[in-house]
Amino acid sequence: MLAWPRWTTRINQHFPLRYLAWVTCGLLALFFALTWTAGLTGGVLVLIFLGLSLLGLRDIRQERHAILRNYPVIGHLRFLLEFIRPEIRQYFVEGDTDAAPFSRAQRSIVYQRAKGEPDQRPFGTQLDTGARGYEWINHSLAPTHLTSHDFRITIGAGRAQPYSASVFNISAMSFGALSANAILALNKGAKAGGFAHDTGEGSISVHHRVHGGDLIWEIGSGYFGCRNDDGSFSPEKFEANARDPQVKMIELKLSQGAKPGHGGVLPGPKVTEEIAAARGVPVGQDCISPARHSAFSTPIEMMQFIEQLRTLSGGKPTGFKLCIGHPWEWFALCKAMMETGITPDFIVVDGAEGGTGAAPLEFTNYVGAPLQEGLLLVHNTLIGLNLRDKIKIGCAGKVTTAFDIVRLMALGADWCNSARGFMFALGCIQAQACHTGHCPTGVTTQDPVRQQALVVPDKAERVFNFHQNTLHALQELVQAAGLQHPREITTRHIVRRTPGDRVTLLANCLPTVQPGELLAAERGERPWPQPVYELYWPMARTDSFSPREPMPA
């Protein structure tokens, strides 16, 4: 610890040296006042130091900040440094591969691809290829040649209005969380690139409709855009919006990775006329998203609700989004599918690493299953029940590069969504001020002046470029692996370095389930494939989300 000279200690006993900055400001104010009256200097310096002196007087009298009472004037430096700390760290301290939550390298690749700039890297990888957990994709000595990078999958095959979706789409972000210009740019880019734009639970705003890009309409617990005055679900209002040709799929939101199990409130002052019109709520009143749905209370009722939404929409692909929590609740949904014969057309798995404009710290850090574990559980369960061919799986959680897509598709996803990746394409600099309304790039603010900084035509082109260039990189990876489509990628193509300086295929270190294996285990014809099924499958029930019996100790 730094030792101060003894003479300063003796002075401090009689006069606290922490007041020195304040006293110095007072003395300088007096000095410049005398020189001003003598005509030697101007009055500006007098005003500056007099103001600082009065600020110090205010500091020692206020009762909110102890540090300012003890360190008048100079104590404000602490708050200034704390305010600019994220920028200092981002630009001067962190390394290219330090993720917090996205590394400089991750952000840079998005910026370069969005701007159409070269994204090659000289002099080799910056990653530690010998580190535990390092992963790579095996390549082929006979690479394929593909004529297009427009990889697509069909969702809702056999329905009245199936949707041919890109394997890379814009994840759920509501108008209100994002600015009007951000929504306009995202949707215009989606229209140009032929990929989907998820509305988020804030429903369909006028800004979503301007450019006509494909929409995935997300229905949350607030039933925004399809609610009665009391907040309950309105079939009539839902049908009117769902049958819009621009809406391609219906997504029932059960939970989101950033804050699963947590509702939300948009304060009344933030509920503008545009937001109120999109959500179907009164202007200026608190807009509440409950933590759970009111349209159903059991797994069977939820399947019936999904069927109702699909019918009202005219047969459009209908599914749900969730972050995996209690395994028995997910198993209860699967049991309800089998009992009712009603299956969703798709399931989107949201990882706990997902982001949002604002969430309690505990929810951001400690609630919900990460994407790998959630995706594997959903994928394996559907395989074990022979339902996987009927249900497509999407996923979201820190997807920014083609390798992210490759890896997640190897784990079982049919397509990937990205939210913050497309925010970076819009110009987001990860200032992490989304919840303040003071976003420096106009992406996450309703301030009309701030969002003017986001020029829609330019940023729409960047959204389009990011999507196209990422898929082009995906095409090159698929070709290098000797494949025809990213859906052919499996855990047998990805290699991981494990402890002990060993390497193994993901297929050998992650749990798998064989087709029909869970059905056979339920009949007692073979053992349960994994402990999670043995423990939680018997607890799942179709008449309640509660477990059949208390969870074992």
Side-chain angles (χ1 to χ4, degrees):
M1 186 174 180
L2 181 66
W4 292 94
R6 289 186 178 180
W7 62 269
T8 60
T9 303
R10 288 195 295 269
I11 294 176
N12 194 58
Q13 291 174 350
H14 302 285
F15 173 76
L17 292 179
R18 62 181 183 271
Y19 291 162
L20 185 59
W22 179 30
V23 172
T24 300
C25 289
L27 293 176
L28 288 173
L30 178 61
F31 171 77
F32 285 116
L34 294 175
T35 57
W36 177 50
T37 55
L40 299 178
T41 61
V44 175
L45 293 175
V46 179
L47 294 176
I48 290 174
F49 287 104
L50 179 60
L52 291 174
S53 301
L54 295 175
L55 177 64
L57 180 63
R58 172 189 174 276
D59 289 342
I60 64 170
R61 294 174 62 87
Q62 59 83 36
E63 299 178 353
R64 184 176 181 184
H65 300 291
I67 195 169
L68 294 181
R69 287 172 66 86
N70 275 330
Y71 297 88
V73 180
I74 199 172
H76 288 276
L77 283 176
R78 183 260 182 191
F79 297 99
L80 173 63
L81 293 174
E82 184 181 62
F83 180 74
I84 65 174
R85 178 185 177 277
E87 287 77 11
I88 295 296
R89 172 178 170 78
Q90 179 171 317
Y91 293 116
F92 301 108
V93 179
E94 73 175 23
D96 285 346
T97 58
D98 296 338
F102 285 84
S103 69
R104 182 69 190 175
Q106 289 173 312
R107 300 193 303 272
S108 293
I109 194 68
V110 177
Y111 297 148
Q112 289 167 325
R113 288 176 173 167
K115 295 176 182 178
E117 297 176 351
D119 58 1
Q120 292 81 12
R121 293 289 186 273
F123 231 66
T125 181
Q126 295 183 359
L127 301 180
D128 182 359
T129 59
R132 175 183 175 181
Y134 175 74
E135 293 178 346
W136 67 92
I137 182 172
N138 279 336
H139 66 280
S140 171
L141 293 178
T144 54
H145 175 72
L146 306 180
T147 59
S148 173
H149 59 260
D150 186 22
F151 301 114
R152 295 193 167 269
I153 57 158
T154 300
I155 306 173
R159 303 294 180 191
Q161 301 184 57
Y163 179 56
S164 177
S166 170
V167 298
F168 188 42
N169 301 288
I170 302 172
S171 196
M173 295 180 285
S174 300
F175 169 58
L178 298 190
S179 67
N181 282 12
I183 295 293
L184 287 166
L186 287 172
N187 196 256
K188 185 174 182 179
K191 176 68 173 179
F195 55 100
H197 179 191
D198 194 313
T199 65
E201 67 174 308
S203 193
I204 308 170
S205 70
V206 292
H207 309 294
H208 287 95
R209 301 182 189 276
V210 171
H211 299 294
D214 292 351
L215 295 178
I216 301 172
W217 185 18
E218 183 177 274
I219 309 297
S221 55
Y223 305 114
F224 299 130
C226 56
R227 59 185 272 145
N228 296 310
D229 292 340
D230 62 356
S232 61
F233 176 71
S234 169
E236 295 78 17
K237 293 180 180 178
F238 171 81
E239 183 175 11
N241 266 332
R243 290 187 178 256
D244 185 330
Q246 190 181 351
V247 175
K248 303 301 181 182
M249 301 201 300
I250 309 297
E251 178 182 274
L252 180 66
K253 174 190 169 184
L254 302 182
S255 57
Q256 67 183 97
K259 50 179 180 179
H262 191 279
V265 178
L266 185 65
K270 293 187 177 182
V271 182
T272 63
E273 290 186 6
E274 287 183 327
I275 293 175
R279 302 191 179 197
V281 298
V283 177
Q285 294 186 19
D286 289 351
C287 182
I288 300 174
S289 297
R292 62 182 298 170
H293 281 265
S294 60
F296 55 87
S297 58
T298 70
I300 284 183
E301 289 179 1
M302 180 181 145
M303 292 303 127
Q304 294 169 341
F305 186 59
I306 286 177
E307 185 63 31
Q308 180 186 14
L309 296 180
R310 187 158 46 209
T311 301
L312 290 172
S313 70
K316 294 180 179 179
T318 304
F320 61 87
K321 179 179 86 172
L322 83 167
C323 176
I324 292 294
H326 294 307
W328 69 77
E329 294 179 343
W330 158 240
F331 295 156
L333 296 179
C334 294
K335 286 185 175 182
M337 295 178 203
M338 297 165 59
E339 184 173 324
T340 62
I342 301 171
T343 56
D345 298 303
F346 65 90
I347 297 172
V348 175
V349 182
D350 218 20
E353 55 269 64
T356 183
L361 180 66
E362 292 81 4
F363 281 79
T364 295
N365 288 344
Y366 305 112
V367 181
L371 181 54
Q372 173 175 294
E373 287 69 26
L375 178 57
L376 278 172
L377 184 64
V378 171
H379 176 62
N380 284 337
T381 303
L382 295 179
I383 287 178
L385 298 175
N386 289 331
L387 293 175
R388 186 63 181 87
D389 292 339
K390 299 180 180 179
I391 302 172
K392 299 298 184 184
I393 298 178
C395 69
K398 295 189 74 172
V399 179
T400 56
T401 69
F403 184 76
D404 295 333
I405 299 174
V406 162
R407 188 181 184 280
L408 292 171
M409 295 186 79
L411 295 178
D414 292 297
W415 84 90
C416 297
N417 295 332
S418 177
R420 288 168 291 180
F422 281 100
M423 287 176 64
F424 291 140
L426 289 173
C428 168
I429 60 171
Q430 196 172 269
Q432 300 183 59
C434 311
H435 60 298
T436 65
H438 300 145
C439 172
T441 57
V443 177
T444 61
T445 179
Q446 297 304 308
D447 184 328
V449 177
R450 284 181 176 269
Q451 63 178 287
Q452 285 179 3
L454 197 159
V455 180
V456 173
D458 175 67
K459 296 304 186 284
E461 184 178 358
R462 293 192 184 190
V463 168
F464 169 78
N465 287 340
F466 171 55
H467 179 266
Q468 292 296 302
N469 290 327
T470 302
L471 287 189
H472 178 70
L474 177 61
Q475 176 189 4
E476 294 184 323
L477 286 180
V478 173
Q479 290 176 157
L483 305 174
Q484 299 293 330
H485 193 281
R487 64 170 168 261
E488 299 174 18
I489 298 171
T490 69
T491 49
R492 294 187 300 275
H493 293 95
I494 309 294
V495 188
R496 174 185 292 175
R497 188 177 297 282
T498 56
D501 203 29
R502 300 179 60 186
V503 296
T504 182
L505 295 175
L506 283 187
N508 296 330
C509 61
L510 295 177
T512 58
V513 175
Q514 299 303 311
E517 191 172 5
L518 293 181
L519 296 174
E522 188 176 36
R523 294 192 298 264
E525 299 172 0
R526 62 181 303 167
W528 293 99
Q530 297 163 28
V532 66
Y533 297 106
E534 182 178 11
L535 178 62
Y536 294 116
W537 186 267
M539 298 168 60
R541 48 196 291 192
T542 60
D543 62 344
S544 174
F545 286 104
S546 300
R548 191 178 300 278
E549 58 188 33
M551 185 167 60

